[in-house]
Amino acid sequence: MSIAIGLWSLALQSGKPEPVIPQADVRITNVALGEELKDVTGRTVIKFSFENPIQMDDEDEDEEEPTPAISTTVLCSLTAGKIEQATTDIVLEKEEEYLFEAVGKNTVYLTGNYIDQPLNQPPFDDDSDEDLDDEDAYDLREVSSDVEMNPEDIDGLESDASRFEEVKEEEATKPQKRPRESDAVDVEVPKLSKAEKKNKKQKAEGGVAVPTGEESNEKKEEKKKEKKEKKVGDEPKTKELPGGIKIKDSKVGTGPQAKKGNTVLMRYIGKLQNGKIFDKNVKGKPFTFHLGQGEVIKGWDEGIVGMQVGGERVLTIPPAMAYGKKASGAIPANSTLTFEVKLMEIK
């Protein structure tokens, strides 16, 4: 999972190629026309040149340092009044040389982030359960700005608390020794006569004798009914927050309460509406972010607030507070997402 660590931008003026050698990895996420347009009807093309992997011809096989091939492609084409910006996902590697050029009369602005990419990270595979064990297999920080505020109603899902904690094997208890016959104490139990068994009664509260039979069965039914009503009353209630986010506390924690600005450490399981898990963090290093700072999707920034350390919550997040119309990895466009989350620690 790549982590955004700072903003990056570049202004391209007409006819002025701009070489770029980033000091850290950069992800370009948006290309847009400037505020002032010199050509209100013309098209501006953004050309992008970069080095290909080294290619060797037969004649150059004996050379020690072959010359890398330069490739040029079109990043996007913008037309005032029709298409004035484009969303991209281009990563520029640290200390590699790139060349950008705007062909047209209008100035174009490229925007993105400096990112930190962990090493030895396998690619995400929808069909592989092993990839889901990678705690950084999915980036929650890519928040879509193209959203609609029409959330679909969905009931929260119950949390399975056992999936958040690593199971530790307990040491087997030692078997108890059988007592010797000489240690056993003989206790004589008096036998009841048939008449005594027949007249035996159960005593209720207050010392009043109650005969066994129908009254006893009625009390059992009443106890079952009371227990059932108590169980229904204890079920967690679903609350709806502004923006259509639904939260349900399956377990209330006992530690400090999470507030915006806190650094929180989380466990989570992310699911689509059909129940398919697209991402999870249930072991190893917990997922860490600054609450309410825009580092994750809006549904997390709002839905985690108020949790206590040790607490577990189910977040049902509509598209408007998740990734909107933009498909992201294994998540289709306009998807309502469900997260089972647990707050591990607050720093």
Side-chain angles (χ1 to χ4, degrees), residues 152-179:
E152 299 177 3
D153 292 334
I154 182 172
D155 293 331
L157 300 178
E158 294 184 359
S159 173
D160 183 0
S162 65
R163 299 158 89 180
F164 290 106
E165 299 293 341
E166 296 184 35
V167 178
K168 296 183 179 179
E169 295 183 359
E170 299 181 355
E171 294 182 1
T173 57
K174 297 182 179 180
Q176 301 293 328
K177 295 181 179 179
R178 289 181 58 187

Side-chain angles (χ1 to χ4, degrees), residues 15-215:
K16 295 182 179 180
E18 289 286 346
V20 174
I21 303 177
Q23 299 304 305
D25 291 349
V26 172
R27 171 176 278 121
I28 302 175
T29 58
N30 193 69
V31 183
L33 293 175
E35 182 178 1
E36 297 181 0
L37 300 175
K38 294 182 180 179
D39 187 353
V40 296
T41 59
R43 186 178 69 161
T44 302
V45 176
I46 310 305
K47 297 174 66 176
F48 174 45
S49 299
F50 57 94
E51 291 185 0
N52 262 340
I54 296 175
Q55 299 178 357
M56 298 180 61
D57 296 328
D58 294 339
E59 297 178 357
D60 299 331
E61 288 183 353
D62 296 333
E63 294 183 7
E64 295 182 357
E65 296 183 358
T67 303
I70 304 298
S71 294
T72 300
T73 186
V74 174
L75 190 60
C76 64
S77 297
L78 305 177
T79 303
K82 295 182 179 180
I83 303 174
E84 296 194 350
Q85 66 175 348
T87 300
T88 62
D89 190 5
I90 304 295
V91 175
L92 309 183
E93 295 184 355
K94 176 182 178 181
E95 296 181 356
E96 295 292 332
E97 185 173 1
Y98 304 91
L99 183 68
F100 292 90
E101 182 179 1
V103 180
K105 297 181 180 180
N106 294 320
T107 300
V108 177
Y109 292 86
L110 281 64
T111 308
N113 300 96
Y114 288 102
I115 60 174
D116 182 15
Q117 301 187 94
L119 299 176
N120 300 324
Q121 181 177 0
F124 190 89
D125 186 352
D126 294 345
D127 299 326
S128 173
D129 292 334
E130 295 180 357
D131 291 342
L132 293 175
D133 290 334
D134 188 347
E135 65 192 35
D136 296 324
Y138 196 76
D139 192 354
L140 295 172
R141 295 175 173 78
E142 296 179 1
V143 184
S144 171
S145 60
D146 185 13
V147 296
E148 294 181 0
M149 300 299 289
N150 293 315
E152 299 177 3
D153 292 334
I154 182 172
D155 293 331
L157 300 178
E158 294 184 359
S159 173
D160 183 0
S162 65
R163 299 158 89 180
F164 290 106
E165 299 293 341
E166 296 184 35
V167 178
K168 296 183 179 179
E169 295 183 359
E170 299 181 355
E171 294 182 1
T173 57
K174 297 182 179 180
Q176 301 293 328
K177 295 181 179 179
R178 289 181 58 187
R180 294 177 297 179
E181 293 183 3
S182 60
D183 295 336
V185 179
D186 294 332
V187 179
E188 293 185 2
V189 179
K191 295 183 179 180
L192 298 177
S193 65
K194 291 183 179 180
E196 288 175 330
K197 290 180 180 178
K198 186 175 182 180
N199 295 326
K200 186 178 180 182
K201 298 179 180 180
Q202 296 179 344
K203 287 189 177 182
E205 295 180 2
V208 180
V210 180
T212 59
E214 295 181 359
E215 292 186 14

Side-chain angles (χ1 to χ4, degrees), residues 274-316:
N274 60 8
K276 182 179 180 181
I277 297 176
F278 61 84
D279 188 25
K280 67 180 179 180
N281 180 310
V282 295
K283 64 181 181 178
K285 183 179 178 182
F287 176 69
T288 306
F289 70 99
H290 298 90
L291 185 59
Q293 303 300 310
E295 296 179 359
V296 294
I297 58 177
K298 295 178 182 178
W300 271 53
D301 266 343
E302 299 298 331
I304 302 298
V305 174
M307 287 187 68
Q308 291 179 262
V309 172
E312 298 173 13
R313 179 174 288 182
V314 177
L315 307 179
T316 304

